[in-house]
Amino acid sequence: MSPASRLNLLVIIPHRWCAVPDALTDLRARLADDFGAALHLRRAAGPLPAPLTVFAGYWAPHTQEFAWWNLEPHLERAFVDLSWVDDALQAS
């Protein structure tokens, strides 16, 4: 399979968000086992309210929708918004 046709999920992480290592490991394993896809993480260059997911490569019809439905809970656990920490430090 050529790299261009390989299934990938790119997650762009907002500046004030952090990855949760154990949940990220679970997400990577699910992507690989269930879809044969790889996970790629990038930090957002500008403001972003929540992680942005981009499906890359050729996902067969309806596979992308099924993957999103299946992976959404794992994505929610894999990233956490830490902006409240900065806000609390600034307030004190």
Side-chain angles (χ1 to χ4, degrees):
M1 183 180 290
S2 72
S5 63
R6 183 169 178 206
L7 301 180
N8 295 285
L9 179 65
L10 170 64
V11 180
I12 302 170
I13 307 166
H15 178 68
R16 296 172 123 190
W17 287 62
C18 185
V20 178
D22 290 342
L24 200 57
T25 299
D26 182 49
L27 176 60
R28 283 185 200 275
R30 257 211 213 264
L31 266 171
D33 294 346
D34 294 350
F35 303 100
L39 178 66
H40 302 277
L41 304 176
R42 298 290 181 268
R43 184 64 63 183
L48 197 61
L52 174 66
T53 56
V54 179
F55 289 86
Y58 177 73
W59 292 74
H62 305 292
T63 304
Q64 184 176 336
E65 293 172 34
F66 177 72
W68 175 251
W69 179 79
N70 191 12
L71 296 172
E72 185 178 22
H74 300 283
L75 283 161
E76 289 175 0
R77 287 191 295 269
F79 304 99
V80 62
D81 182 2
L82 295 180
S83 60
W84 66 271
V85 174
D86 290 338
D87 295 341
L89 289 174
Q90 288 178 358
S92 58

